[in-house]
Amino acid sequence: MNPKSEKIPFSIHRMIRQNLSKRNLTVSWLAMKINIRPISLHQQLNRSTLQVNRLWSICQALELNIFQEIANRLERENQSQKAVEKGMELSQIDAEVDGLKKRIELLENENKTLKEVISLLKG
């Protein structure tokens, strides 16, 4: 598959700009933090690609883990693909996960209660 034909399902550039906006920071401020000219950073944020070393610098300056966001989205995409292959809907998987989380919580509470009973019986 041609690497240029593969599309990233979200915009890293948009994510960076939204993060700046949310914090009331400017691209010029970020450029200063990563030691490049503001016009250079504007140009890089308007391209369809971004070098990993530049993304790393941006993550450090913003104290933002974009790599984790990429990993999370890849994981969700992989889970969706596996669900489709198995003929399951993502909502079914989410419902099953929610049910398992509730079951874990109930078991943890039961375990805590049993420990308290045991300590009372010992004392």
Side-chain angles (χ1 to χ4, degrees):
M1 185 177 260
N2 182 356
K4 291 195 180 224
S5 68
E6 293 182 28
K7 294 282 184 189
I8 296 174
F10 65 98
S11 171
I12 294 169
H13 302 84
R14 187 177 309 121
M15 186 185 308
I16 292 168
R17 288 182 187 278
Q18 286 172 343
N19 191 275
L20 286 168
S21 177
K22 194 178 346 178
R23 295 171 162 192
N24 293 319
L25 300 173
T26 63
V27 173
S28 296
W29 174 88
L30 180 57
M32 182 187 72
K33 288 290 281 185
I34 61 175
N35 297 318
I36 65 170
R37 296 179 321 155
I39 191 71
S40 297
L41 185 56
H42 276 287
Q43 289 171 344
Q44 290 175 19
L45 292 177
N46 286 327
R47 290 187 197 135
S48 62
T49 62
L50 190 60
Q51 292 181 353
V52 172
N53 63 341
R54 179 64 65 218
L55 186 55
W56 183 272
S57 299
I58 291 170
C59 288
Q60 288 179 316
L62 293 175
E63 297 177 359
L64 173 69
N65 190 345
I66 293 173
F67 296 100
Q68 185 63 54
E69 181 64 28
I70 293 168
N72 291 344
R73 290 184 187 227
L74 279 171
E75 183 62 28
R76 284 194 299 268
E77 186 177 305
N78 288 339
Q79 287 174 350
S80 295
Q81 183 60 35
K82 287 177 185 176
V84 167
E85 289 170 4
K86 291 182 178 181
M88 297 176 68
E89 292 294 322
L90 190 56
S91 60
Q92 291 172 314
I93 292 173
D94 288 340
E96 185 176 346
V97 167
D98 289 341
L100 291 171
K101 285 179 181 177
K102 288 177 185 175
R103 178 78 176 133
I104 288 170
E105 185 179 342
L106 289 171
L107 290 171
E108 286 174 344
N109 287 335
E110 183 179 321
N111 188 25
K112 180 182 174 185
T113 303
L114 289 172
K115 285 180 179 180
E116 289 173 0
V117 168
I118 290 170
S119 69
L120 287 174
L121 290 173
K122 285 183 181 180

